[in-house]
Amino acid sequence: MEKVIVTCALTGALANRDQCPAVPYTPEEIAEEARRAYEAGAAVVHIHAREDDGSPSWSVDVFRRIKEEVNRRCPVVVNFSTGGMGPMTERVDHIRQVKPEMGALNMGSMNYAKYSPKRKDFVFELIFANPFSDITAYLAAMKEANVKPEMECFDLGHVTSAAPLLDMGLLVPPLQFSFIVGVLGGIDASPENLMRMRDSIPSGSHWEVIGISKGQWRMIAAALTLGGNIRVGLEDNFYLDAAGKQMARSNGELVEKAVRMARDVGREPCTPDEARAILGLRDPWGLGPRDP
């Protein structure tokens, strides 16, 4: 069977237990969700840190505890977030010091909003600022730590922003793109848009889809058919059905559904070590073996 890398985004920065009781907060809870995701078939876990009360955290100590707890429970690839608001310097120290195998890299700025047709108003709206100066600084930190960048693209222009970074030698193939579709202000979630993004990446690159909210499963189906990798998890979507009636009780349940869908179209989920080999994680920058 053709292989597929399944990533699980365990908690996010904004989702809370009032919205979904399964959202993990503490390092131990996040690690238990990583174990459930791994046992269901995930090879990679994407992690935002939280304080014990659920608020977002950029504490290096919290990220370190999360990595230790995850590694104690399962062999998944750990991918730390760098996305959020506030000074870039507050969102990169955990990459330098804790050194996950992968780190998220937002590839451009955008309006970021959620709209309520019922209220005829925006639930929230903000400017998601990711200038090239921050992107290059993140890449420098990732190279220093020998961490693989996972390039998160909310629109087609974010995909093509990789070209100057490649030309500058700040990116090293094989590249890993994540196409985030369905965020208001970014590209709409459709198979046609997914194909446009896929067709814009450099030859030899890898890609996955990140479908937001209830349209996620349609985009997972499209990516599986188009040969891409997939991401699910409580950061992106709480529900096991497109109608939003069956809420997941764990990240593991979301991964289980994604794995069933993959096998239904003849694709088998990668093990973590298979994902490491495909993505070039052993020595992503050619700097020598990673630290243990």
Side-chain angles (χ1 to χ4, degrees), residues 2-6 179 194 198 206-209 220-231 262 267:
E2 180 186 357
K3 294 288 186 173
V4 58
I5 299 171
V6 180
F179 303 148
L194 190 60
R198 177 202 62 178
H206 304 288
W207 64 275
E208 70 177 2
V209 72
I220 293 293
L224 288 169
T225 304
L226 293 170
N229 298 310
I230 56 176
R231 182 176 114 173
R267 302 188 66 186

Side-chain angles (χ1 to χ4, degrees), residues 2-223:
E2 180 186 357
K3 294 288 186 173
V4 58
I5 299 171
V6 180
T7 294
C8 187
L10 302 176
T11 185
L14 300 176
N16 61 59
R17 288 178 181 158
D18 291 336
Q19 298 167 310
C20 175
V23 173
Y25 289 171
T26 69
E28 293 78 11
E29 290 168 350
I30 290 171
E32 279 298 300
E33 285 297 290
R35 178 188 60 79
R36 294 184 182 101
Y38 162 71
E39 290 176 351
V44 182
V45 289
H46 173 77
I47 298 173
H48 291 251
R50 303 284 193 108
E51 298 296 336
D52 287 355
D53 64 0
S55 59
S57 176
W58 293 106
S59 164
V60 171
D61 288 340
V62 173
F63 275 102
R64 183 175 289 111
R65 285 173 54 209
I66 290 171
K67 186 170 181 284
E68 290 171 352
E69 293 292 340
V70 171
N71 290 345
R72 188 173 293 126
R73 288 166 171 80
C74 58
V76 289
V77 175
V78 173
N79 174 345
F80 280 162
S81 173
T82 61
M85 307 303 292
M88 183 275 294
T89 52
E90 295 179 3
R91 296 182 279 122
V92 74
D93 283 348
H94 63 295
I95 297 293
R96 289 195 181 100
Q97 297 184 44
V98 184
K99 300 180 180 180
E101 289 183 82
M102 300 183 74
L105 177 69
N106 292 314
M107 288 295 289
S109 301
M110 59 182 289
N111 287 319
Y112 196 117
K114 182 176 181 180
Y115 178 72
S116 169
K118 183 177 180 180
R119 289 164 45 180
K120 303 296 183 187
D121 197 5
F122 293 98
V123 178
F124 66 82
E125 59 99 10
L126 54 89
I127 302 296
F128 191 44
N130 296 286
F132 277 114
S133 56
D134 277 7
I135 293 171
T136 55
Y138 282 128
L139 285 170
M142 289 178 185
K143 183 174 183 179
E144 177 187 337
N146 219 9
V147 171
K148 175 84 172 189
E150 175 240 335
M151 296 183 292
E152 299 199 342
C153 303
F154 293 79
D155 213 337
L156 186 58
H158 295 174
V159 179
T160 56
S161 290
L165 303 173
L166 273 168
D167 188 61
M168 296 165 70
L170 292 173
L171 289 172
V172 176
L175 306 183
Q176 166 62 19
F177 289 87
S178 292
F179 303 148
I180 304 175
V181 298
V183 173
L184 183 60
I187 200 165
D188 190 36
S190 73
E192 294 81 8
N193 284 337
L194 190 60
M195 286 189 286
R196 290 186 184 97
M197 297 177 89
R198 177 202 62 178
D199 293 344
S200 298
I201 64 177
S203 177
S205 299
H206 304 288
W207 64 275
E208 70 177 2
V209 72
I210 301 174
I212 302 302
S213 194
K214 299 169 189 175
Q216 180 182 71
W217 296 115
R218 181 170 180 249
M219 300 313 299
I220 293 293

Side-chain angles (χ1 to χ4, degrees), residues 208-264:
E208 70 177 2
V209 72
I210 301 174
I212 302 302
S213 194
K214 299 169 189 175
Q216 180 182 71
W217 296 115
R218 181 170 180 249
M219 300 313 299
I220 293 293
L224 288 169
T225 304
L226 293 170
N229 298 310
I230 56 176
R231 182 176 114 173
V232 295
L234 294 174
E235 174 176 350
D236 306 325
N237 170 44
F238 302 142
Y239 296 98
L240 292 165
D241 62 313
K245 295 182 179 179
Q246 187 179 359
M247 184 174 285
R249 294 172 295 180
S250 72
N251 281 284
E253 287 193 336
L254 294 166
V255 175
E256 285 173 2
K257 174 166 181 171
V259 167
R260 286 197 303 271
M261 292 175 66
R263 287 175 172 154
D264 283 345

Side-chain angles (χ1 to χ4, degrees), residues 266-282:
R267 302 188 66 186
E268 185 67 17
C270 289
T271 66
D273 277 345
E274 288 171 336
R276 290 182 175 99
I278 291 168
L279 298 175
L281 298 184
R282 298 300 186 187

